[in-house]
Amino acid sequence: MFFIAFFGGLSGCSRGTAQRGLVVAGSTSVQPFADHWAEFYMKDYPERVVNIQGGGSSAGIQAAREGAADIGMSSRELKPEENDLLEVIVAWDGLAIIVHPDNGLEGLSQEEVRGIFSGDIRNWSTLQEPDHAITVVTREEGSGTRATFQEMVMKKSRISPRAIVQDSNGTVREIVANDPHSIGYISLGLVNNKVKALRFDGMEPTYENIDQKKYRLIRPFLFVTKGPPSGAALDFINFVISRRIQELVRLDGLVPIFRED
Amino acid sequence: MIAFSAVSILLIITIFIFGEGMPVMVKYGLRKFLFGLDWFPLERSYGLLPMIIGSLMVTGGALVIGVPFGLACAVVLTEFSSKRLRRFLKPIIELLAGIPSVVYGFIGVVILIPFIRDHLGGPGFSVLASSVILGIMILPTIISISIDSLEAVPRTYREGSIALGATRWQTTRMVMFPAAKSGIIASIILGMGRAIGETMAVIMVAGNAATIPRSLLDPVRTLTSNIALELGYAAGEHRQALFATGVILFVIIMILNTIANMTSRKRRP
Amino acid sequence: MKIAVPPRTEQGIIRALLWLLTAITVFILFFIIFYVLKRGLPVVSLEFLAQNPTEMGKAGGIFSTIIGTIALTLLAILIATPMGVGSAIFLTEYTRENWITRMIRFGSECLAGIPSIIFGLFGFILFVTKLGFGWSLLSGGLTLAFMILPTIIRTSEEAIRSVPYAYREVSFSLGSTKWQTVTRVVLPSSLPGIATGVILSIGRSIGETAAVIFTAGSSLHVPTSLFSSSRTMSVHFYILAREGISMDNAYGTAAVLIIAILGINVLAYSLMNRFMRRYC
């Protein structure tokens, strides 16, 4: 019993950002970029500390609601029951369908992608590629990336439960980079030369195409706060949506919130 | 009062895990959780059977690999080799029990998975890969405890048997094994507990597909990886369902512990 | 029908088979260590140990994760040791075997068998969210402390039990109280045994990933207070290797981890040997 009292006492003094710095927690898709922004922020203001945490969109949203984090990061839209929180779009992210660089395919239609991920198309030969079973790699239930993919590509069909499930963009990329017969989907900003991003419905996943709304697989990166942000949180959000950082966002492979007009 | 800390902590943990996990189990019925085949948490379908079977398959596989190798090693080191070799090898083997499980998982990813994919087929991430990695991980536990219990058999047993003209192997098989039985079983149960509870190494090599695997080369998801994979993103009922997964895991472990306790109690004269 | 094989031949065959299995086992276990060290050691340098990671660990060293590991482990040990040794003293010196001690022992044995992910779940719900500590050293340290408590109780209990009863009798006959006997006679004599348990727990805390990632978080900064989040070396290795951020740095971190655990085990083993020599 004594340690409950002891915890209670400690929890009383755990609030307040002064000693722990600004805590930003949530989506593992946003995390690498937020880390980068925080590095710049702390270079400008060496006396301020920003802690970027993973954990996932839902964990971040919950942490923001319960005060464990000052800002929650989400890579999916807020659900209706989460509308007690305020959201700021800090960047847009494309979703890329990726295969191994040795794969002869250059692009797929939405129906083909849906067929592969629902388990209707099981062999590359169906797509005029060398005969081999397709290894489908997807994200876990609840992931913002998966939610976006489900909504924009799969629509009403289910992703086959036989697909390999991984819990981050990086691991999906690693698997696809090492297995010549696999296919997956990741954040456009994380595509590198170890994997090949496919055209989707004939459209190359480039920033021009996203800007012109030709490439349709995009989703917002959100910063979520409980009530209007203030103090350090407001300061950091303003820093992130400033023109200078938004230019950086483009270099990182994301799509800025303002369009070049 | 401090002495009760272990009990009270166990109690607190139990209360919290059950408190978070039970409501959703009660709401949808225990049968749906235990025997449901479909895990689509966003569509409120929480069948855990694939994961329960997955955990059992992977653990069974780990034992099939770990037990023969582990026991062979224990027997060789106690019965068929010099004391010097045992003195030298045993601490090293025990050291291996301390290597972080993620390191084993990683070795699996860089060496075992490409091997299975290229030579046996399938995606590589599979029941087989997880069983092998877990089998290797539980080796140190099995070896070290089996050696201890074989050593604890009174020397006179062995000498008596040899004096009657039995060979070393006959002695081992007919005298030493029966005498050390409960210790060896305890080592296997401990290894089993470690295998069923392992999380990160399994996530790395299992492929985590939430269906019942049709072959050893198919991906598989265990109860532990189900929790760790989705906890970060889960909200509301989905998260409660993950705690319900924890409840089921907890109950399985408790049953194992009780069995282990009973066998080890028998050992004490 | 059973084929009669001469016992000597049977033994010869079995023996060869057993040696083969043993050789494979030992080879695999050694291979893992050598593989990691061979790939990892070239990366390890003074800069690698003393620099903070940058670009999510792609560049720079692992300094902050070393500090995080040490801080977290220390915290867990500082919380768990008094509780564990206290329980052990109570179990051995102040009670007879009855249903209470049996219950306590059963409780701690069950606790020992619970998978770390369950501790992670529990720590996440209680410390991180309910008590509002957030992902922090404190949450992680408490969770780990709960996890290692059974090990400390069991090893301390065994160490205290193995102190010869004559020691206590001499102390009592000199007129000391129970408490004086415990603190001045029993505890000092069982110290090496207790230390072994503590060192084993340190090893377990350092290697833990699942429970830590959900309670202490994965921030790359050097922790500044109990409420800062921190990343341990094991978590760092897990993230680097899984996300494919930097294989070199992953191997380097693994090599440092293995060497640290090697050192800790050697220490535990030598303590245990000294302890054995004294009483057996």
Side-chain angles (χ1 to χ4, degrees), chain C residues 195-218:
Chain C
T196 312
V198 171
I199 291 170
L200 285 176
S201 313
I202 293 178
R204 194 161 171 215
S205 312
I206 292 180
E208 183 51 43
T209 320
V212 174
I213 211 166
F214 290 119
T215 53
S218 54

Side-chain angles (χ1 to χ4, degrees), chain A residues 14-15 20 23 53 63 67-69, chain C residues 123-124 126-140 214-217 226-229:
Chain A
S14 68
R15 319 268 172 180
R20 60 174 184 176
V23 177
Q53 298 287 338
Chain C
F124 174 73
L126 179 61
F127 303 131
V128 178
T129 62
K130 288 247 155 68
L131 293 174
F133 298 166
W135 290 282
S136 61
L137 281 181
L138 187 63
S139 304
F214 290 119
T215 53
L226 276 181
F227 295 104
S228 15
S229 153

Side-chain angles (χ1 to χ4, degrees), chain C residues 101-117:
Chain C
T101 56
R102 271 203 301 278
M103 196 179 81
I104 294 174
R105 208 164 283 128
F106 177 74
S108 77
E109 270 167 26
C110 284
L111 212 52
I114 292 179
S116 55
I117 181 74

Side-chain angles (χ1 to χ4, degrees), chain C residues 236-260:
Chain C
H236 189 55
F237 168 75
Y238 177 73
I239 293 176
L240 286 185
R242 241 173 103 64
E243 308 272 325
I245 294 171
S246 160
M247 287 301 155
D248 285 345
N249 283 1
Y251 281 116
T253 314
V256 175
L257 259 177
I258 286 187
I259 291 171

Side-chain angles (χ1 to χ4, degrees), chain A residues 1-4 26-29 55-60 62 66 75-76 79 82 122 132 135 139-144 146 158-159 161-167 175 178-180, chain B residues 1-2 5 8-9 12 38-43 45 117 122-125 203-204 206-215 218-219 221 228-235 238-239:
Chain A
M1 220 188 297
F2 86 99
F3 55 73
I4 295 198
S27 167
T28 46
S29 299
S57 295
S58 299
Q62 195 183 0
E66 286 166 357
S75 51
R76 58 164 172 79
K79 292 184 180 142
E82 290 164 344
R122 290 174 184 230
H132 198 284
T135 306
R139 292 288 307 279
E140 80 283 5
E141 291 262 9
S143 130
R146 178 170 175 150
R158 271 180 180 167
I159 295 178
R162 308 189 66 75
I164 286 184
V165 179
Q166 294 295 321
D167 61 355
I175 290 179
N178 288 312
D179 184 346
Chain B
M1 196 175 67
I2 291 174
S5 53
S8 47
I9 287 172
I12 295 176
D38 296 315
W39 175 259
F40 293 109
L42 297 182
E43 300 168 25
S45 136
R117 187 174 59 222
F125 297 88
I203 288 191
M204 293 170 97
N208 311 318
T211 47
I212 298 171
R214 289 178 206 164
S215 83
D218 274 356
R221 184 185 294 194
L229 269 178
E230 296 184 0
L231 184 64
Y233 282 94
H238 183 186
R239 199 173 79 174

Side-chain angles (χ1 to χ4, degrees), chain B residues 85-133:
Chain B
L85 187 68
R86 176 164 82 231
R87 279 263 166 86
F88 169 69
L89 276 182
K90 195 173 172 242
I92 298 182
I93 288 170
E94 278 168 2
L95 160 76
L96 284 152
I99 292 184
S101 54
V102 282
V103 174
Y104 287 101
F106 183 58
I107 298 282
V109 172
V110 294
I111 296 173
L112 192 60
I113 300 245
F115 180 84
I116 293 178
R117 187 174 59 222
D118 297 342
H119 297 278
L120 302 173
F125 297 88
S126 57
V127 181
L128 183 65
S130 336
S131 300
V132 171
I133 290 299

Side-chain angles (χ1 to χ4, degrees), chain A residues 15-236:
Chain A
R15 319 268 172 180
T17 49
Q19 47 183 337
R20 60 174 184 176
L22 183 72
V23 177
V24 183
S27 167
T28 46
S29 299
V30 190
Q31 188 185 11
F33 305 106
D35 252 318
H36 206 183
W37 304 330
E39 251 174 57
F40 275 84
Y41 185 70
M42 286 185 284
K43 220 174 269 168
D44 282 12
Y45 308 99
E47 77 286 357
R48 298 189 191 164
V49 179
V50 181
N51 269 308
I52 310 287
Q53 298 287 338
S57 295
S58 299
I61 290 167
Q62 195 183 0
R65 179 182 288 141
E66 286 166 357
D70 302 290
I71 301 175
M73 304 182 281
S74 172
S75 51
R76 58 164 172 79
E77 315 258 6
L78 291 186
K79 292 184 180 142
E81 68 265 27
E82 290 164 344
N83 61 8
D84 53 321
L85 298 164
L86 291 179
E87 54 167 73
V88 182
I89 297 176
V90 290
W92 291 88
D93 177 35
L95 210 60
I97 316 282
I98 54 167
V99 291
H100 193 270
D102 292 349
N103 194 310
L105 274 177
E106 292 299 332
L108 287 170
S109 70
Q110 179 165 350
E111 284 67 42
E112 285 166 333
V113 175
R114 199 185 299 157
I116 292 172
F117 278 87
S118 66
D120 293 340
I121 302 177
R122 290 174 184 230
N123 200 298
W124 286 113
S125 60
T126 317
L127 302 161
Q128 282 74 52
E129 284 295 305
D131 173 53
H132 198 284
I134 303 178
T135 306
V136 179
V137 190
T138 182
R139 292 288 307 279
E140 80 283 5
E141 291 262 9
S143 130
T145 314
R146 178 170 175 150
T148 310
F149 183 78
Q150 176 78 46
E151 199 183 302
M152 298 187 145
V153 182
M154 300 307 287
K155 312 275 184 200
K156 292 273 170 259
S157 352
R158 271 180 180 167
I159 295 178
S160 160
R162 308 189 66 75
I164 286 184
V165 179
Q166 294 295 321
D167 61 355
S168 79
N169 279 301
T171 45
V172 173
R173 184 180 67 193
E174 280 308 297
I175 290 179
V176 174
N178 288 312
D179 184 346
H181 311 292
S182 57
I183 183 165
Y185 55 89
I186 61 170
S187 235
L188 184 55
L190 290 173
V191 172
N192 63 8
N193 56 10
K194 290 197 284 181
V195 293
K196 179 159 80 180
L198 294 179
R199 281 200 294 267
F200 183 71
D201 274 344
M203 278 302 149
E204 194 108 26
T206 59
Y207 302 114
E208 294 72 42
N209 284 340
I210 290 177
D211 266 353
Q212 294 161 19
K213 300 197 171 168
K214 284 182 184 156
Y215 187 81
R216 294 173 296 119
L217 298 182
I218 59 166
R219 56 166 172 172
F221 277 175
L222 301 176
F223 271 10
V224 174
T225 54
K226 188 188 183 185
S230 60
L234 180 65
D235 210 45
F236 184 62

